[in-house]
Amino acid sequence: LHVATRAPTRKTGQRMKHVAAYLLAQLGGKADPSAKDVTDILGSVGIEADSEKLDLLLGNLKGRDIVDVIAAGRTKMAAMPSGGGGGGAPVAAAAAAPSGGGGAGAGAAPAEKAKEPEPEEEEEASGFDLFD
């Protein structure tokens, strides 16, 4: 199976730079970061802010609680189909299994439940999970 991938470009690698800088400003204690706050953060790492995109972001976030905005986004993302194409394999395997007459397929053991990964030690110690 060959999956075509696109190498990250400067443009795709910086789609979230304004949002990231806005969130950093909030983490730094600014309840309502200004354009100057975001521009200063981006400038500190050598990135020039796009004033049009920054104005659009700040306009959309004006008067809104960032926690509510993120929660709404998580809800929308949870409802999105994730694609993948891996759903057909169990159906194909079931169709290929022999039917009736005491064949090996009739007594096959059920598939094992996927084991959930254990949380990292840091997550356990801090009691913080980014997605909870």
Side-chain angles (χ1 to χ4, degrees):
L1 175 67
H2 173 64
V3 178
T5 58
R6 198 172 71 182
T9 63
R10 181 173 172 88
K11 185 176 181 179
T12 59
Q14 293 186 8
R15 286 184 181 165
M16 300 290 290
K17 65 184 177 185
H18 296 92
V19 174
Y22 182 90
L23 292 172
L24 284 171
Q26 277 211 328
L27 286 172
K30 302 278 185 174
D32 190 21
S34 67
K36 182 182 181 329
D37 296 328
V38 174
T39 302
D40 289 348
I41 290 171
L42 292 173
S44 72
V45 292
I47 298 174
E48 185 177 331
D50 181 334
S51 61
E52 185 178 319
K53 289 181 182 179
L54 181 55
D55 291 342
L56 179 65
L57 172 70
L58 295 176
N60 286 327
L61 293 176
K62 189 72 174 171
R64 297 177 71 188
D65 182 18
I66 194 68
V67 174
D68 293 338
V69 173
I70 292 171
R74 286 179 51 195
T75 302
K76 288 179 183 179
M77 288 187 68
M80 289 175 27
S82 61
V91 174
S99 58
E112 289 184 32
K113 184 178 177 183
K115 182 179 177 185
E116 301 232 358
E118 294 185 22
E120 298 284 330
E121 288 181 26
E122 288 181 18
E123 289 177 8
E124 289 176 354
S126 68
F128 172 78
D129 185 356
L130 180 61
F131 300 104
D132 281 341

